[in-house]
Amino acid sequence: MKTVVCVKQVPDSETKVVIPEGGLWIDDSNVNYVLNPYDEYAVEEALRIQEKLGGEIIIVSAGPGRAATAIRNALAMGANSGVHIKDDNLRMGLSVAKILAEAIKPLEPDLILLGKQAIDDDNLQVGPMIAELLNLPSVSVVSKLEITENGGTAERDIEGGKEVMEFSLPAVITAQKGLNEPRYASLKGIMMAKKKPMVEKQASDIPGGITITKMEYPPKRQEGKTFKNGVEAVPEVVRLLREEAKAI
Amino acid sequence: MSDYAAFFIEIRDGKIRNVSYETATVARNLAKESGLIPIGIAVGSGFSTDLDIFGKYGIPEVVAVDHAGFSDYSPEAYTAAVVDFIKKYNPSFFIMSASAMGKDLSPRIAARLDTELISDIIDIKLVDGKIEAVKPVFAGKARITISTNSPIQFVTLRPKVFLPSEDSATSCTVTASDFDPSSVEVRARIKEVIKGTSGKVDLTEADIIVSGGRGLQDTKNFDILEKLAEAVGGVVGASRAVVDAGWRPHADQVGQTGKTVTPGLYIAIGISGAIQHLAGMSSSKCIVAVNKDPDAPIFTIADYGIVGDLFEIVPALTEEFNKVIR
Ligand SMILES: Cc1cc2nc3c(=O)[nH]c(=O)nc-3n(C[C@H](O)[C@H](O)[C@H](O)COP(=O)(O)OP(=O)(O)OC[C@H]3O[C@@H](n4cnc5c(N)ncnc54)[C@H](O)[C@@H]3O)c2cc1C
């Protein structure tokens, strides 16, 4: 089984977002970059599949120089090699999928895993787009996965339930929380990761098709009322919910 | 040029899903503003008779791709059907919902058409005939305004943000499409659909959510939340701490790595209000928090906060709601 896992380096979920005056993206001078949490589920799943079926795991990431750290993080968890497509453009959408698909194609993987979304642009686009560009089946937002030599079964979350899907390989799967519990990289893993092969490529000149014209903070919520008198506040809060907020 | 502003009608179990009236409303408003004709596309099996209901929303035509091959959702077959429709009608706008189906299907359609896609938007406006959309990023900690130059302006709407509105009723013609899915190679198909707790509304679609956190101490104590939810007509959600402890299923998790919800009323019980939890619920219209710690961050975004022991307050809330709501 040859598995490609696409990963992205993103600001960690604790990040305090700071938007520079007139800026179109966050000020990242104090940002701690991490491997996208959903991609960790994808890497972990690839490792479990490898433990069962053997084969190799290649990590592919497109991004600026610092993105190499995210690839090393995945190698430290146990993946075998990395491909870093160097790209300094802030991209989202179809051009990302095209760049990744182009890098994945010659690798001829049996399985392509990604996180269901990156927690910076929150787009949920790249996985199914890659599947389409490479003409492969896909299942997205997967919280349970069973892979055999030539196919698999995946459960994906939908409103009020789950769809169980059967698919043939090669296929693209995007990972949802709940898929597994990602392992921590061991010290030995971290040391070994430094020596694992990593190919660097320059991103091809695919223009981005999305233009950001403004970035802003969400509107502030109105100041609330806090009652310190515990259970005695209940009738008053229920009255306010009915009469002031008209929420019930 | 094109004559149409198109929208996707989502069908599950032969029924029209409510998000379809949201996409219809947005497509109709765009059509009005730009002198186009709104048109719907529905893909499924054995449903086409109800589709004229879109006349109430001012939609004069719906194309129905009704075929046994579409009885279950399949990304490949549905993509082929929608792309066939788009090639025939060549709409200027295509509007879908960022529902589970929409999130899965829209990127495939976009890639097949070689067009950009703007996902999960919360506001929309037309500037020189192009869509300028606002979408949350960083789990709602910021929002960006974006546009594309793609000939088809393709967006998905965050559910429950664009409220459906009816319009001067027109008669709606349902046109049967002759698209036949048997020519499509389907390599991923549904084997089974597992329904969650019977009849429960999904959190992303609920008007009222009562969420419990680690303060509940044990899975069995969620009984009191179920009772409270029943009293206000809501559904129960949870923090990640609760889900990770195995007290509630992952489908109930609200937050950055759970669901993003925008109910009319969100009641947070025994939840501290970590930044990743707030990410999923801070756009709720009204927020109530119950927590024994007066410094819990949840109080910074609550409209009404009660400081105290949830084991006293929750039953009292249930009783009071039962008194005033009937
Ligand atoms: C990458 C990442 C993603 C994450 N994603 C999510 C996510 O999607 N959703 C999410 O919720 N979290 C998420 N988290 C976890 C988050 O950081 C918090 O750990 C979690 O939200 C805490 O859950 P809690 O509020 O239930 O528990 P706690 O923080 O332990 O809070 C329990 C609260 O209950 C109160 N309490 C205790 N007893 C009582 C009582 N008797 N009466 C009244 N109040 C009481 C306490 O004062 C406290 O405020 C994520 C974390 C990371 C790192």
Side-chain angles (χ1 to χ4, degrees), chain A residues 11 22-23 59 71 73 81 114 132 139 141 144-145 164 181 194-196 199 206 217 223 235-236 238 247-248:
Chain A
I59 306 297
I71 300 176
N73 292 344
S81 64
L114 305 87
E132 189 59 39
V139 189
V141 196
K144 195 169 169 199
L145 183 64
V164 185
E181 200 52 64
K194 292 183 181 149
K195 299 201 196 80
K196 286 181 177 170
V199 180
I206 300 172
Y217 297 103
E223 186 90 26
E236 175 66 358
V238 170
I248 52 166

Side-chain angles (χ1 to χ4, degrees), chain A residues 116-127:
Chain A
K116 70 161 178 153
Q117 80 193 74
I119 64 161
D120 50 3
D121 59 28
D122 288 332
N123 270 325
L124 286 105
Q125 292 186 354
V126 170

Side-chain angles (χ1 to χ4, degrees), chain B residues 282-326:
Chain B
S282 57
S283 310
S284 305
K285 274 164 219 94
C286 180
I287 298 170
V288 174
V290 176
N291 198 302
K292 69 178 181 192
D293 172 9
D295 297 322
I298 191 78
F299 288 126
T300 62
I301 63 152
D303 298 281
Y304 305 109
I306 307 178
V307 181
D309 183 2
L310 71 89
F311 293 102
E312 284 175 33
I313 293 166
V314 171
L317 273 171
T318 306
E319 204 185 305
E320 192 66 21
F321 281 132
N322 276 332
K323 255 192 259 165
V324 301
I325 309 173
R326 53 193 74 237

Side-chain angles (χ1 to χ4, degrees), chain A residues 36-53:
Chain A
N36 179 42
Y38 291 108
D39 300 347
E40 283 184 5
Y41 299 118
V43 174
E44 176 62 37
E45 199 63 17
L47 291 167
R48 293 184 188 193
I49 293 165
Q50 186 184 45
E51 280 155 15
K52 204 172 93 187
L53 300 173

Side-chain angles (χ1 to χ4, degrees), chain A residues 13-14 37, chain B residues 212-217 238-242 253-258 270-277 290-293 296 308-311:
Chain A
S13 63
E14 299 279 346
Chain B
R214 184 150 37 203
L216 273 125
Q217 290 173 8
S239 72
R240 176 164 173 170
V242 159
Q253 184 184 315
V254 173
Q256 182 149 28
T257 43
I271 292 178
S272 59
I275 193 159
Q276 297 93 350
H277 188 82
V290 176
N291 198 302
K292 69 178 181 192
D293 172 9
D309 183 2
L310 71 89
F311 293 102

Side-chain angles (χ1 to χ4, degrees), chain A residues 65-88:
Chain A
R66 57 171 165 73
T69 314
I71 300 176
R72 292 282 176 215
N73 292 344
L75 297 179
M77 286 171 73
N80 303 101
S81 64
V83 177
H84 181 187
I85 310 154
K86 291 194 129 176
D87 182 26
D88 288 325

